[in-house]
Amino acid sequence: IVLPTAPKSPQPQSPLAKPSITAAAAPVAAAAKPKAPTASPAATESPWAKLIDELGFDGMTRQFARHCAWLSQADGVVRFALDPRAKHLMNEERRAAVETALSGKLGAVRVQVDIAESPDVLHPAAADEQRLLGRQRDAEKAIEHDPTVIGFRTLFGATVRAGSIQPIDPVN
């Protein structure tokens, strides 16, 4: 059996996709690239997430808004549910900043924020977290099913170091 050797002038590779076997690094990294998504994350974002970007929130007000799930808009009141894990972001100044920005965009509205789970609606930060977890699962599945990795496992009892797999495609 002849083991593949590293090229004489090694190509720099991303530290994000290093498996535990050096000889398999280049083929594994190439296989870890998931297929291009059919829709960009921006195309699947909620209207509230897009509105946060349009309103130009920054800093802590942006974080506050990203952890709020838009529940309803009726009778001049916009209701949000703030993730209880982010209740430390809630204060009157941030609520008022969101209210002022929304009033400028939608007409006069009052913003009501309840600290509560929102089982039916994801807040933008949770949606981003789910997207990232999905990308991680896809990268791990790609490595798990990679023919080179399978070959190294079968022939040499190789293992992939836990926690070493990360997606290498750009986040949109």
Side-chain angles (χ1 to χ4, degrees):
I1 297 175
V2 177
L3 292 176
T5 59
K8 290 183 181 176
S9 57
Q11 298 294 324
Q13 59 183 1
S14 168
L16 303 178
K18 284 186 179 178
S20 61
I21 299 177
T22 306
V28 171
K33 288 185 183 179
K35 295 179 184 175
T38 53
S40 70
T44 59
E45 275 185 357
S46 71
W48 173 230
K50 291 178 184 176
L51 191 54
I52 290 170
D53 289 338
E54 286 177 29
L55 294 172
F57 296 130
D58 59 1
M60 296 303 284
T61 302
R62 179 177 180 79
Q63 290 306 311
F64 168 69
R66 289 182 41 73
H67 284 83
C68 286
W70 182 296
L71 298 178
S72 66
Q73 178 183 0
D75 301 323
V77 176
V78 178
R79 288 188 52 242
F80 292 99
L82 176 64
D83 183 341
R85 295 172 297 172
K87 66 183 178 185
H88 62 279
L89 296 172
M90 174 70 172
N91 69 24
E92 180 55 28
E93 180 183 335
R94 293 181 193 125
R95 189 208 60 78
V98 170
E99 183 173 273
T100 300
L102 283 175
S103 292
K105 184 82 170 175
L106 307 174
V109 294
R110 193 169 51 86
V111 167
Q112 176 185 334
V113 180
D114 299 318
I115 298 174
E117 291 287 335
S118 174
D120 300 330
V121 183
L122 284 178
H123 54 81
D128 286 350
E129 184 177 339
Q130 278 192 350
R131 260 192 305 276
L132 289 173
L133 289 173
R135 290 179 66 240
Q136 180 65 33
R137 280 190 302 272
D138 290 347
E140 290 172 1
K141 187 182 280 186
I143 294 296
E144 176 94 15
H145 294 91
D146 181 79
T148 304
V149 173
I150 292 169
F152 273 84
R153 282 185 174 157
T154 304
L155 291 172
F156 307 110
T159 60
V160 176
R161 194 174 311 141
S164 66
I165 300 170
Q166 293 184 13
I168 58 174
D169 61 320
V171 178
N172 294 330

